[in-house]
Amino acid sequence: MTLRLRDLGRQLARSLGFRSSTPVQDQPPANLDTGVFTSVIESGSERARNAMARQLAAVLADRATTELERRLIVPLVKRLAADPEVRIRRSLARRLKSIAGLEEELVFAILADRDDIAVPFLSETPALNPALMLAVLDAGDITRQIAVALRADITEEAQALIVDTAALPVCLALFENTAVRLDEEEYRRFNDRFGETPDVAELLLTRPELPPDIRVQRCRRVSKRLHHLISERGWVAANDADEIVGDSEDMTILRILKETNGAELAHAMPLLISRETLTPLIIVRAACLGEMQVVAQILAYLAGMPIARARERMAGKGFTGFKGLHGRSGLPKSCFGILQAACDVAADEAKQRLSLDGEEFGRRLIEALMTRYEAMPPRDRAQYLDFISRFAENPVRNLAKRLKTDMSKAA
């Protein structure tokens, strides 16, 4: 390789009429004279500088190049990276961007150039190691930060730094990167920073991996805006608006809970509870619709026990069965009867190896309330029918309303 450098220097000297301070052919390898190269950089034509940049870049890309040779070449290439002619700098950056292990001083020299030279290099160079990646995010402008955010090899540390500190355009670029998958905590931190921005809110809801607590939070904010719009324009009476929006919000929340796998839901449960999202009425609504997996997850968390044990209690097994589970959950006593009946219907469904849809589950729930539980006061039975008339599938609601009316007449 040193011989090749000597040949390159000799060719440059002949073509340009330069003479090095020491004859090139007499130089020992450790003292290779770079005077010819320096002369080309300082007073050579654009064509000569461009040719030298091309040849030196090829030497750097060659795996056979020694460390000594690199130490001789890098300062020269760095000077070419600051050449006054933009075409030379662009050509050099294009030739260097595929070289792995490129010296940091060269990387920074190119990154300091104008955007149309720096950004294509930054987007592709394999020489951008994790430390350099963080350095660009810390000190670079938004254009360069976006280039880092879009890299397929972005590190977890760089990803976290963007979520925590970068401007919104950089974060949105990170969202566009198909190689990136944010974890739940990163989504929560991003939501805390930008969740009130309408475009961000819509973007979040398109992410299937969005944690359920954030999805529920988004739903509640949409419901509030809808309620304000309905009330402001007087489309319906205030009480009707409350019921319409409340039902829509609860059903959306329940759908989110249903679509969330058990592990994710269990992880999000503390936040959902702390934000008063999982109200007793949502739990009752889930029971009336036969969504007993959701009921089990919520009861397990509220009672502070594993989901498997909660399911056993719901099936009537274990110490005090469902009564003990309900007592530990802290739910109001007014929920007990309807939840007990729903658990009994679910237990029957399991024994008979059935798979009931929401409507059939609701009908069996009414049947259980009307034919079992002899000690249940009529007032409580009427209240539970009222729950079903509000929360079950539509055909079941109508049946519950008629039965409640008949009970009132009989009384």
Side-chain angles (χ1 to χ4, degrees), residues 29-45:
N31 298 309
L32 179 66
D33 183 14
T34 58
V36 172
F37 301 100
T38 301
S39 297
V40 172
I41 291 173
E42 292 177 351
S43 54
S45 67

Side-chain angles (χ1 to χ4, degrees), residues 20 52 62 75 91 98 112 114 166 284 324 358 404:
S20 61
M52 192 175 82
D62 194 323
S91 174
S98 62
R114 48 194 279 177
V284 170
K404 182 184 175 185

Side-chain angles (χ1 to χ4, degrees), residues 375-397:
M376 181 181 292
R379 182 181 60 185
D380 291 350
R381 206 184 305 270
Q383 182 185 27
Y384 300 148
L385 286 173
D386 183 58
F387 285 149
I388 297 173
S389 71
R390 293 169 57 193
F391 301 141
E393 298 284 359
N394 281 330
V396 181
R397 292 187 183 192

Side-chain angles (χ1 to χ4, degrees), residues 227-242:
H227 188 278
H228 177 75
L229 184 63
I230 292 175
S231 300
E232 184 181 62
R233 300 191 179 183
W235 289 338
V236 296
N239 290 341
D240 291 339
D242 290 343

